[in-house]
Amino acid sequence: MKKYLYTTLLLLLGAVAEVFPQSMTISGGNDHSLFICTKGVLYACGDNSDGRLGLTAPNAGTQYVPTFSQVDVSGLSFEQVTAGSGAHNVALACNGLVYCWGANAELQCGVAGGGSVSSPTPVLCGEAEGYDENGNKGGIYLGGVTFIAASTSASFALLEDGTVVGWGGNSSYGGGKWIETPTSTPKFIRTPDGKVLQGVTFIAGGDNNLLLKVDPDGDGLGDAYSVGTYNGRGGGLGAQEYYAEPVLLYMDETQDGMKQGPGDPLTNIRMLAAGDAAGFA
């Protein structure tokens, strides 16, 4: 009897797993949502302004789509997608290429001329090594990507070699911009001395900030870096524009508990997250 019940339970669990495949990635933007199912198929719903849902007919011209509809990706499969915090999307294909669509006024989709992009378009390689449309080295597309992130008006990609590139604009970066002028071609994230930031293992984009985990020895614990406003460096210590700098801990040594100002860099970080106007570690 016990053996029969055990076998029946296994069959039921197998049936449930078959009927309800678990999603790989879920992401919400300002007023739209996306997810990837287990086969790498990409779906979107919500506000379709600027073509941010990436849909074909009959929903391509519909402003609001209340049900999840498949994004036009020409048979590609994806392993990650992010809606950033605005009206554009960045998706990482299983072959390591990056695709963008939606609002492009700040060139955050990597397409020159502004406007909007109504269906996924591969981003040109810029300063990073180029790949072909199949994900092999030697082409004109951004490839070799392991993770993606997006802010309201910019997009970012973590590369296999531990460097990060970004493209787009500055409209939501206030006094701490990640780049001087909007660009449709990816540019490396650099330190204040102009060197390419190395050893990055994770990135997180908010509305006004980009957070980076730097872990050159690969032990899982890293240092926190940031670009843009809400950068963890305190009032009056704003970022040198366009560069990544360490997030600083605040000293609190007075009897009345008043903060004494920034201290040592924030280290031993396992994970980072970025909100619209805040950072978390």
Side-chain angles (χ1 to χ4, degrees):
M1 182 65 178
K2 290 183 178 180
K3 183 178 180 181
Y4 171 78
L5 291 175
Y6 179 72
T7 303
T8 302
L9 178 60
L10 289 178
L11 290 173
L12 287 173
L13 289 174
V16 171
E18 182 69 26
V19 174
F20 302 107
Q22 189 175 28
S23 294
M24 294 175 63
T25 302
I26 299 173
S27 180
N30 191 35
D31 46 19
H32 70 291
S33 305
L34 304 101
F35 77 87
I36 303 175
C37 74
T38 52
K39 294 183 179 180
V41 181
L42 186 59
Y43 292 85
C45 73
D47 187 354
N48 194 34
S49 302
D50 299 305
R52 71 192 69 174
L53 300 187
L55 304 178
T56 56
N59 291 321
T62 304
Q63 183 174 0
Y64 299 105
V65 179
T67 57
F68 279 106
S69 301
Q70 187 172 346
V71 177
D72 179 19
V73 290
S74 301
L76 290 170
S77 59
F78 291 84
E79 61 182 65
Q80 187 198 352
V81 64
T82 177
S85 60
H88 82 291
N89 312 286
V90 187
L92 176 59
C94 293
N95 60 7
L97 297 185
V98 175
Y99 290 77
C100 300
W101 67 99
N104 188 51
E106 291 283 319
L107 310 183
Q108 59 264 52
C109 285
V111 179
S116 62
V117 179
S118 59
S119 61
T121 302
V123 178
L124 296 178
C125 62
E127 294 182 344
E129 184 175 9
Y131 289 71
D132 65 21
E133 59 185 7
N134 296 314
N136 301 312
K137 292 182 179 180
I140 62 171
Y141 301 110
L142 177 64
V145 176
T146 62
F147 198 80
I148 51 176
S151 68
T152 297
S153 57
S155 306
F156 304 94
L158 173 60
L159 307 183
E160 292 173 336
D161 62 1
T163 61
V164 177
V165 293
W167 60 98
N170 297 317
S171 64
S172 63
Y173 275 78
K177 302 174 181 178
W178 82 272
I179 196 167
E180 186 173 4
T181 57
T183 176
S184 60
T185 57
K187 304 291 184 181
F188 282 117
I189 301 297
R190 299 177 181 272
T191 58
D193 59 4
K195 296 181 180 179
V196 175
L197 185 65
Q198 304 281 342
V200 182
T201 58
F202 183 78
I203 54 177
D207 190 25
N208 296 290
N209 52 345
L210 171 69
L211 301 180
L212 309 97
K213 176 184 172 183
V214 178
D215 179 16
D217 57 10
D219 65 355
L221 298 177
D223 302 332
Y225 278 68
S226 62
V227 180
T229 52
Y230 309 106
N231 49 44
R233 286 184 286 276
L237 290 176
Q240 294 190 44
E241 289 190 340
Y242 328 130
Y243 297 109
E245 297 186 71
V247 174
L248 303 179
L249 280 169
Y250 268 78
M251 299 168 59
D252 188 3
E253 299 179 348
T254 61
Q255 291 183 354
D256 58 7
M258 296 296 291
K259 294 178 179 178
Q260 294 298 294
D264 296 329
L266 183 58
T267 61
N268 295 320
I269 297 303
R270 291 188 180 277
M271 181 59 67
L272 294 164
D276 268 6
F280 304 89

